[in-house]
Amino acid sequence: MAHPELTLTEHRPFQTQRKDTWWVQPLAVFIGLGVFIVYATFRVFEGNHFLPENAPYLTPFYSPLLFGTSEHSNDHSWFGAMPAWMPGVITPAVLILWAPLGFRFTCYYYRGAYYKAFWADPPSCSVSEPRKGYRGEHSFPLIIQNIHRYFLYVAIVIVGILAYDVWEALWFDDGNGGKTFGIGIGTIILAVNVVLLGGYTFGCHSLRHLVGGIVDLLSKAPVRRNLYNCVSCLNQRHMLWAWMSLLWVGFSDLYVRTIAVTGWQDYITF
Amino acid sequence: MAKATFRIWRGDADNAQYVDYETEVSEGMVVLDAVHRIQAEQANDLAVRWNCKAGKCGSCSAEVNGNPKLLCMTRLNDLPLDQPVTVEPMRAFPIIKDLVTDVSWNYKVKEKMKPFTPRPPDAEDGTWRMEQVDIDHIQEFKKCIECFLCQDVCHVLREHHLHEEFIGPRYLVYAASLEMHPIDTENRLEELKGEDGIGYCNITKCCTKVCPEHITITDNAIIPLKERVVDEFYDPLRKLFKVFSG
């Protein structure tokens, strides 16, 4: 029986002969990244509730805290209070969050994922696209993605700063003007955040290249070889690290914000 | 014996249609077996290219239910046989007839690429010495059977037909196997950035997913080459470092 329905050259948008649920993965990416973008945008411009008064937890969205916005946060910021001449739309998060967001935006994994989920370029493997033209990363504007390694350098520094924040989150006010050691649930959440962000950052494709992929004779560079093997090990699960760290950093912020807003005291082991 | 329907693309570039064939299927059969049975019993003029039936010659590349596959390695018990199984030729190349495509463009691409250029031999007998660790990261590229499924699934070729501007994942793997080779001395970065069009790859990883030899095309070949291109053309700090370090 003949079916004169489709030819191989007439492509309609989203046309495919695939019979599996190919749309599930791009849809999941669209929802996952979309929810994060909306939440992160809200938090970035909220400009408040990033450092609870009753716990030493600084949300990763506002770390490093260059300027404070209250008496309490001014004491914990690097340069004191936010300058009066700074426009109101500039919050402490706006000053620093461009770096980790830029790192993720130019990440090789996320590029492939959001080209599919947000631009349908392509919607999925062997599924037709809704537009004819294509320039890829060969020319402006996407050629700018080649800046990825510069965001990597900043992201490594930020992972170090977040690790220091975990140290700070170990020291609680003792009620007498001093500090006492303790591990709160928030401390553990911030520590897990550093581990996940570290796994994502140190498994970066650019880092893999810079530490060892750049040379053909790894046998002559044993230190590079070991670093290359370590980064390659993390890189094999780069997508998993990317999603786990993204979800956890959002959860960490939500946890800290909840404490800051409600004044709730989380469980602390002294 | 159970029966299944195969919806096979029949015709040439100018005149074609899908035709349904019902045939008997049994345990252990692959799609190529079913196509051969249809060819023997119902459509003697059905054109299909095949050779080894062992997934090593790369001849029987086609699309099964919309997914680029080797017909000889696609088992029927992995497919939903309660609905017709669609069998089509690869979409990235010109159709010759039925399931057979003209893949000669690939060989022309290879001819244009800078060949392997080894350093002078290490020993008097004309041989070289290499450490296994230096070969390890290009070893997997040698598994390529040139089935061109990666070229077929790549949307730059399949959808946008940029055959004149982009060499495709197969030849980026080939370039990586040469560029990263411990005794090769040639520099191919200018070509990769320019006429080979590595910038057209937007890292969908579809090529990696369809590779029957499980070569990690995107992560181990294309992205490392993209990074080398960044080193050479898009990283001013690295340029500066090279100037001062000599």
Side-chain angles (χ1 to χ4, degrees):
Chain A
M1 185 175 66
H3 296 266
E5 43 183 315
L6 299 170
T7 73
L8 296 183
T9 49
E10 289 173 359
H11 291 183
R12 295 195 300 259
F14 304 100
Q15 176 193 319
T16 183
Q17 292 291 339
R18 286 180 63 173
K19 293 180 166 62
D20 57 338
T21 51
W22 59 266
W23 45 271
V24 169
Q25 192 171 8
L27 181 64
V29 170
F30 182 84
I31 293 171
L33 287 181
V35 168
F36 183 84
I37 289 167
V38 169
Y39 177 74
T41 305
F42 160 69
R43 282 294 283 145
V44 164
F45 291 106
E46 189 181 31
N48 208 344
H49 310 309
F50 51 84
L51 183 66
E53 301 219 0
N54 60 339
Y57 306 148
L58 174 61
T59 169
F61 278 20
Y62 282 72
S63 181
L65 185 61
L66 301 181
F67 299 105
T69 56
S70 65
E71 196 174 321
H72 175 63
S73 60
N74 289 350
D75 293 341
H76 292 79
S77 70
W78 289 20
F79 305 113
M82 182 73 84
W85 50 264
M86 199 77 85
V89 73
I90 304 295
T91 66
V94 172
L95 296 175
I96 51 104
L97 213 57
W98 55 268
L101 290 181
F103 181 55
R104 286 189 191 262
F105 188 80
T106 59
C107 162
Y108 283 104
Y109 162 68
Y110 281 113
R111 274 145 72 175
Y114 67 70
Y115 289 147
K116 285 180 186 165
F118 286 81
W119 272 274
D121 206 6
S124 189
C125 301
S126 52
V127 177
S128 287
E129 297 170 26
R131 66 186 76 80
K132 298 287 182 198
Y134 178 76
R135 290 190 291 182
E137 299 176 349
H138 192 65
S139 54
F140 187 81
L142 293 180
I143 199 168
I144 294 173
Q145 302 278 27
N146 290 315
I147 201 173
H148 182 52
R149 61 180 58 175
Y150 286 93
F151 284 116
L152 166 69
Y153 303 145
V154 184
I156 289 172
V157 174
I158 288 179
V159 170
I161 292 169
L162 293 177
Y164 179 74
D165 288 344
V166 175
W167 170 256
E168 291 275 291
L170 289 167
W171 300 97
F172 292 78
D173 288 337
D174 61 4
N176 299 316
K179 299 280 184 188
T180 183
F181 178 82
I183 298 176
I185 294 175
T187 315
I188 295 168
I189 288 173
L190 293 180
V192 171
N193 183 52
V194 172
V195 171
L196 295 177
L197 283 176
Y200 170 60
T201 306
F202 295 111
C204 165
H205 289 88
S206 287
L207 185 64
R208 185 178 184 231
H209 169 74
L210 293 165
V211 298
I214 203 167
V215 293
D216 295 335
L217 295 171
L218 280 173
S219 60
K220 303 279 189 290
V223 175
R224 275 183 179 274
R225 189 173 70 204
N226 288 330
L227 287 170
Y228 181 75
N229 290 339
C230 288
V231 176
S232 296
C233 184
L234 290 170
N235 182 261
Q236 286 177 1
R237 297 277 179 277
H238 199 46
M239 181 181 85
L240 184 66
W241 287 112
W243 278 106
M244 285 171 53
S245 61
L246 186 83
L247 295 175
W248 199 267
V249 77
F251 171 66
S252 302
D253 177 77
L254 185 63
Y255 186 84
V256 173
R257 185 181 185 278
T258 303
I259 292 179
V261 169
T262 63
W264 173 66
Q265 183 69 58
D266 71 344
Y267 181 76
I268 302 169
T269 57
F270 283 102
Chain B
M1 196 176 272
K3 289 198 167 187
T5 301
F6 291 83
R7 183 164 291 169
I8 300 179
W9 198 89
R10 299 295 314 272
D12 54 29
D14 301 322
N15 185 22
Q17 62 188 354
Y18 290 97
V19 180
D20 282 358
Y21 299 96
E22 190 178 68
T23 190
E24 292 181 337
V25 295
S26 56
E27 193 178 349
M29 279 179 74
V30 294
V31 173
L32 184 60
D33 293 329
V35 169
H36 277 161
R37 178 167 282 175
I38 291 164
Q39 190 184 47
E41 297 174 352
Q42 302 177 52
N44 302 145
D45 61 341
L46 172 61
V48 56
R49 183 188 285 130
W50 64 282
N51 191 2
C52 75
K53 289 190 76 177
K56 289 298 169 191
C57 73
S59 300
C60 62
S61 301
E63 299 193 6
V64 179
N65 283 350
N67 293 301
K69 295 272 190 189
L70 293 179
L71 296 179
C72 72
M73 299 303 287
T74 308
R75 299 175 65 91
L76 293 184
N77 60 4
D78 290 334
L79 301 172
L81 296 182
D82 56 333
Q83 48 191 312
V85 175
T86 307
V87 186
E88 304 162 292
M90 290 190 284
R91 289 172 181 249
F93 306 112
I95 305 295
I96 296 177
K97 184 176 185 296
D98 300 337
L99 302 179
V100 179
T101 49
D102 177 5
V103 295
S104 59
W105 168 80
N106 293 283
Y107 307 121
K108 289 173 190 149
V109 169
K110 197 170 190 177
E111 279 174 2
K112 287 193 292 185
M113 297 178 71
K114 283 181 179 172
F116 181 55
T117 313
R119 67 183 182 226
D122 298 331
E124 287 183 0
D125 63 357
T127 58
W128 290 266
R129 301 291 176 267
M130 287 174 272
E131 298 271 350
Q132 183 60 42
V133 66
D134 298 326
I135 287 295
D136 279 344
H137 59 297
I138 61 165
Q139 199 93 53
E140 67 168 326
F141 305 149
K142 304 293 182 187
K143 294 193 297 180
C144 178
I145 59 174
E146 297 207 318
C147 62
F148 305 125
L149 290 178
C150 58
Q151 305 283 69
D152 180 45
V153 80
C154 176
H155 72 127
V156 183
L157 302 174
R158 175 194 187 88
E159 184 85 13
H160 301 289
H161 310 291
L162 293 174
H163 294 71
E164 295 301 315
E165 296 166 62
F166 181 56
I167 60 175
R170 160 57 195 139
Y171 292 106
L172 291 175
V173 167
Y174 180 62
S177 74
L178 299 175
E179 196 63 21
M180 298 176 190
H181 199 289
I183 66 170
D184 182 79
T185 57
E186 191 60 85
N187 185 331
R188 300 169 183 81
L189 297 178
E190 181 88 43
E191 288 79 11
L192 281 166
K193 173 178 174 276
E195 63 204 59
D196 295 348
I198 193 170
Y200 282 109
C201 170
N202 69 343
I203 326 150
T204 62
K205 295 199 178 186
C206 294
C207 49
T208 305
K209 284 177 191 156
V210 302
C211 179
E213 286 295 316
H214 307 293
I215 301 170
T216 319
I217 298 172
T218 316
D219 290 307
N220 289 349
I222 297 179
I223 293 176
L225 286 180
K226 274 179 171 264
E227 284 295 313
R228 289 184 181 215
V229 170
V230 174
D231 282 345
E232 191 75 14
F233 300 103
Y234 302 115
D235 186 348
L237 276 185
R238 181 156 182 79
K239 283 262 185 200
L240 205 62
F241 177 77
K242 279 171 83 172
V243 167
F244 286 111
S245 64

